[in-house]
Amino acid sequence: MDVLLLGASGRIGQRTATELLDRGHAVTGVSRSGTVEGIDDDEFVAVAGDATDSNDVAKLATAHDAVISALGPSDEESAAILTEMMDAVIEGLRRADVDRLVWTGGAGGLKVGPETMLIETDDFPEEWVPVARAAIDAYDILTEADDLAWSYLAPAALIEPGERTGEYRTADRELVADDGGDSYISMEDFAVALVDELEEENAVHTYLGTGN
């Protein structure tokens, strides 16, 4: 596939680009600067783009088969930019006539009990609350886009650089944790999950939790 990757310069974005390229896909990697470090492949092109501008998204997405988002607010940006990005990406894909979207979401909205989301637990860090709530708001916007074949994948409670094992577990709208209650996934394996979902389309219109 020809894949447009938003947020390609970030840690998850870079690993997702590598995973896509290793599987034979062509990747257009979007960042604000137009620069993506550490990727040298003939099937990769880095371009500048603004994911809060639907016109920009439409122009970039045209002639691509699918879009993967690894977007997230930078340290200088308000968490509310997540909803701006979601609105712009949805509208941009419609204008470009692209209907496949795989979105990197947040774990805060995943359930840890029948009536409890992770963000509502006592152990959830207070400093993460604004971004987590914005990610939930962005997901709510996405659920209204019935005309798009979207998938919303969230990592485990802890995601960090690590090993690519190619193995992970998923759960529909639930936090994935081990028997001891630890919830973890490497960025490498999360990239595997994103590309697996792109290719297999097993979780269309689904908020999917992932974990090792």
Side-chain angles (χ1 to χ4, degrees):
M1 283 184 273
D2 287 328
V3 181
L4 184 71
L5 176 60
L6 304 173
S9 61
R11 294 191 297 173
I12 293 174
Q14 289 177 345
R15 287 163 173 81
T16 302
T18 298
E19 186 68 28
L20 285 164
L21 292 164
D22 286 348
R23 300 197 199 186
H25 301 292
V27 180
T28 302
V30 183
S31 67
R32 285 186 179 271
S33 67
T35 301
V36 178
E37 302 291 342
I39 300 176
D40 182 15
D41 191 294
D42 291 342
E43 293 299 316
F44 181 82
V45 177
V47 298
D50 181 358
T52 65
D53 184 335
S54 60
N55 291 324
D56 217 7
V57 173
K59 179 178 67 176
L60 292 167
T62 297
H64 287 82
D65 299 307
V67 174
I68 294 181
S69 168
L71 295 167
S74 69
D75 293 339
E76 296 81 20
E77 293 170 333
S78 164
I81 199 171
L82 285 171
T83 54
E84 292 181 47
M85 290 172 173
M86 184 64 83
D87 281 329
V89 170
I90 290 171
E91 181 59 27
L93 264 63
R94 286 170 172 159
R95 294 182 192 175
D97 197 25
V98 176
D99 68 357
R100 182 66 174 128
L101 173 64
V102 179
W103 190 279
T104 297
L110 294 172
K111 293 181 180 178
V112 295
E115 303 294 334
T116 306
M117 294 186 296
L118 180 62
I119 192 176
E120 297 168 333
T121 62
D122 292 339
D123 292 335
F124 195 82
E126 188 66 29
E127 63 270 22
W128 294 358
V129 169
V131 171
R133 292 205 182 281
I136 293 169
D137 290 342
Y139 169 72
D140 289 341
I141 293 170
L142 185 60
T143 61
E144 300 298 320
D146 294 335
D147 54 322
L148 300 182
W150 58 263
S151 302
Y152 187 94
L153 271 64
L158 176 60
I159 178 171
E160 60 185 8
E163 179 184 359
R164 183 197 184 283
T165 68
E167 299 180 1
Y168 59 90
R169 295 175 292 138
T170 62
D172 186 353
R173 198 65 197 260
E174 294 182 1
L175 185 73
V176 177
D178 63 19
D179 292 340
D182 293 326
S183 178
Y184 169 84
I185 192 168
S186 69
M187 290 180 178
E188 288 77 5
D189 280 339
F190 185 67
V192 173
L194 287 173
V195 181
D196 281 351
E197 175 52 29
L198 175 73
E199 295 176 341
E200 298 168 10
E201 299 191 20
N202 289 328
V204 172
H205 293 172
T206 300
Y207 185 166
L208 201 66
T210 63
N212 285 127

